[in-house]
Amino acid sequence: MQDSTTDFRKLWSEIGVDLDLHDQLMAGLDRVFTHTHLWQKDRPASMSLFDKAFHDSHAGRVAEIAAYRAKGGKSVGTFCIYVPDEIALAAGVLPIPLCGGSGWAVDHADRMFPRDICPLVRSTFGMSFSNTCPYKKLKDFAVGETTCDAKKKAWDLLGFLSLEIPQKKNIIDRQLWLSEVERFRGEMEKLSGRAVTAEALASSIRLVNNKRRLLQRINGFRKLDEPPISGLDALLVSQAALNMDVEAFNAAAGVLVAELEERASKGVSAYSMPGPRVLFAGSPSPMGFAKTHYVVESSGLRIVADESCTGMRYFRDLVDEGASSLEDMISAIADRYFSIDCACFSPNMERMDNVAALLPEYRVQGVIHGILQYCHGYDIEAKALDKVLSAAGVPSLKIVADYGEQDEEQIRVRVEAFRELLAVGGGITTG
Ligand code: BJ8
């Protein structure tokens, strides 16, 4: 243990990490993880693989990427699930999702960014500015995107490439998006010096599709009366899916699927108490942030589905594997990513339809709008979603949260009142 810890310190130091501040960051992440996840009884044994992935995100995974680069490989930092991993992988470039989930890092963004922007952006850049992000010097390139204002203005300041995500879904928007996907391919080829071939792209499409299929299977178990995996653990799996090497993730997810099958066949539940079934809808919860899930589930509700980018929005749709030419594969990738229903779209009717379909599928009794503070897209869109929910007789509760822990008990009071409302079959919205 001592040796491997020492090795990581050497590596962190070589890649410019501030060791003292990084120790503070890691202590904070460990403490929060223990608080939010390890109170649960009856977790699947194979969740230890994902607990390890959480801790490895600043250690083993960093060493893997450093080793890849030492052999001449390249990597690209990304901040959104619109960036097509399949293309980067086919060019031999490792994508590294860099969205921050650490509350500790948030204040470190203040020297460049205003305070009234979302904690995801502040945490990401707080880690970078404090030199506690081990990926800062391990990335050869960074690609942002024009989703929300906070992000697109950040890329301007930092000089990152920014993919233009259309804000509407008309034919002209799809054409624009296809040209942006092509531009991304060109950038990845330039970075690696390797052309994307049809063979390499077909293989990366299958690999990433398999990851999404495994996530679909894992989350499918949450439809059961007694889900064998909690919402908190399903979130951790989705967070790990974004950080781990794809093949390593698929192997770990396969082990978890086998265990969940067995637990399901024996009726083993992840929950020790009965509780209402709720859907979590809204902003993403990057690795390190699980406050809202923690408060909701430790208050006796069961999150049976996540409609977010750390949930279904990431794995619901696959790339069509039927194409054989490179051009058709790129087009299939553009289509798949264009179907993402982020709140940056206007109007965003696909999201309304997708949520409406989830209600009967997961037998949802209530919806938690999980909104990150200052995430105006999801915050305002909660109103439109509430119309859909009210038509279906499903009540909702909106929780706007930052990454701090100080408001947990205030949130708990509101969640417990919502649980009582669901217990008596109430049908009002408590935004
Ligand atoms: S596709 S949700 S990953 S943009 S939380 S930075 S939206 S203010 S992360 Fe996102 Fe892509 Fe959309 Fe998904 Fe802005 Fe909101 Fe902050 Fe956000």
Side-chain angles (χ1 to χ4, degrees), residues 159-200:
F160 292 175
L161 173 81
S162 185
L163 292 182
E164 180 158 0
I165 312 292
Q167 313 271 290
K168 293 193 171 286
K169 293 212 168 166
N170 299 320
I171 291 171
I172 192 168
D173 304 303
R174 199 275 182 185
Q175 285 164 351
L176 167 66
W177 175 236
L178 178 61
S179 68
E180 285 299 89
V181 171
E182 286 284 12
R183 184 160 76 104
F184 179 66
R185 170 170 69 133
E187 293 291 345
M188 294 299 97
E189 290 178 331
K190 206 171 1 156
L191 180 61
S192 67
R194 191 202 288 185
V196 170
T197 62
E199 194 185 7

Side-chain angles (χ1 to χ4, degrees), residues 79-83 121 144-153 155 162-167 177 340 342-345 377-378:
F79 305 88
C80 178
I81 63 164
Y82 272 102
V83 178
V121 169
E145 74 303 319
T146 58
T147 43
C148 66
D149 288 349
K151 281 180 158 183
K152 63 188 174 197
K153 290 294 113 187
W155 318 139
S162 185
L163 292 182
E164 180 158 0
I165 312 292
Q167 313 271 290
W177 175 236
I340 295 173
C342 178
C344 66
F345 279 92
Y378 285 100

Side-chain angles (χ1 to χ4, degrees), residues 93 121 127 142 196 282 311 326 371 427:
V93 178
V121 169
M127 276 197 275
V196 170
L326 184 61
I371 314 287

